[in-house]
Amino acid sequence: METSINQDTVKLKALRRMKRNALALLGIAVLLFIIAIYYKIPMLQAFSEAAMVGGIADWFAVVALFRHPLGIPIWHTAIIPTKKNEIGENLGNFVSEEFLNREKLEIKLDEFNFANKASEWLSKEENADKIANAVALNIIPGILRTIKDEDVRRFIQVQFKEKIEGINFGDWVAMALEPLQKGNVKDELLTNLLEVMSAELTNNKDLIRKKVKASTPFLSFGLADKSITEGVFNGLQDFLHEAKNPESAVRVKIDEYVANFLDKIKNSEEMRIKINDMILGFVGKKEVQDYINGIWDEIKSSINTDLKKGDHSSIKKSVSNLIKGFGTGIQEDPIMIDKINSFIKNDLLSVLLNNKKVIGDLISSTVKSWDGKEVSEKLELEIGKDLQYIRINGTLVGGFIGLVIYGVEQLYHYFIV
């Protein structure tokens, strides 16, 4: 808005300057006329008279376009404000009939090659950065401000719940554990597990001693603690050591238990339901729900933090690279360029031609809705400066024509009369 006001101010100053120039030239013609009369210079008198007539006539013609000359409502003056409706009607008809013509539009659209120009513009880094900057500074923050946090959290909750409830975890567990029943995978996994348990037992021997001491009678004065601890520790280590042997009875029992468990998971619907209910129950815990609710807050915070980095924003860089890559990709694909141009040409032609009367009526009604005085002032501001040259030319050309007429008259009197 401020830029428009500044431009209007500049145009108004230029218009007034040209009006002063035209008026000054007319004033010179008047001064020359007075000099010619006083000193009786016929040639100068002829020039100045014709210059005054030409200047005043053209002043009248220019002013008559926009207002009544000297405020006098002379017939057929103030043409633009009084004929505003007819001008709007004619302008609307002219645009709809002359511009919205299929043959002319097709030629112009083919010459323009929108897809090529657009892709070339988008592929330039500075243009891609401009768009990315607008997206990062206006569009994304605007979307984030518009979106209600509670609605997003509710959406995430609903989507998460629907997706989780749609998964049969029992089948997944059965599918995941099925390879354990084949080959040596189960034996290797069990052996590794027993190794870990044996190492952890050794690392926690002091903890076992403390637990035993806390459990023994006070009157034993700790005499039995060491022997009991050693007994428990050694017994557990012996059990784990024997279990590592694939041929041992303990290992066979463990293998049978694991095999039965896997078989139940694989074939028992009841076991699968229990596993599914257990996982869904875990998902329904408050801690998990709080974490899910915090997902949107984390996403939003991360986006805002990144956007504050300005030119170093990864989002902005990604958008810029995406736009630039899109433009380059189209440039390198002639088929896509033809498709885009054909799409724009056909659709745009269809819209314009099917609505040519509507467009014409819109132009006409818009012009009619304008205030006549405002239209006149606006047009004078736009073209009035150039129209002042008509006054200047009228003064000068009129003066020279006056000289020509004076010369012809003198020749006539000299040779004929």
Side-chain angles (χ1 to χ4, degrees), residues 139-156 296 299-300 303:
I139 297 177
I140 295 178
I143 293 174
L144 292 178
R145 287 192 298 269
T146 303
I147 294 175
K148 294 182 179 179
D149 294 341
E150 288 302 320
D151 292 341
V152 178
R153 294 191 190 103
R154 191 181 305 111
F155 175 79
I156 294 175
W296 168 242
I299 293 173
K300 187 175 179 179
I303 292 173

Side-chain angles (χ1 to χ4, degrees), residues 49-88:
E49 283 179 348
M52 287 190 297
V53 171
I56 294 172
D58 285 336
W59 165 81
F60 183 91
V62 170
V63 172
L65 287 172
F66 306 105
R67 66 187 68 84
H68 297 299
L70 301 176
I72 303 171
I74 302 172
W75 177 75
H76 214 65
T77 57
I79 295 172
I80 290 175
T82 56
K83 298 290 184 178
K84 172 179 62 71
N85 292 347
E86 291 86 340
I87 292 172

Side-chain angles (χ1 to χ4, degrees), residues 355-373:
N355 295 279
K356 59 187 297 185
K357 187 176 186 308
V358 175
I359 295 172
D361 291 342
L362 176 63
I363 295 172
S364 175
S365 61
T366 301
V367 174
K368 289 178 181 178
S369 68
W370 293 343
D371 179 74
K373 184 180 178 182

Side-chain angles (χ1 to χ4, degrees), residues 27-47:
I28 292 172
V30 172
L31 181 61
L32 291 176
F33 176 74
I34 295 172
I35 294 172
I37 293 294
Y38 185 81
Y39 290 102
K40 297 180 180 180
I41 307 173
M43 183 179 295
L44 183 59
Q45 182 179 344
F47 173 85

Side-chain angles (χ1 to χ4, degrees), residues 108-126:
K108 290 299 179 183
L109 289 174
D110 288 336
E111 290 176 353
F112 186 69
N113 196 345
F114 174 84
N116 187 60
K117 283 183 170 58
S119 61
E120 183 179 347
W121 190 86
L122 290 174
S123 63
K124 293 181 179 178
E125 187 171 355
E126 60 271 22

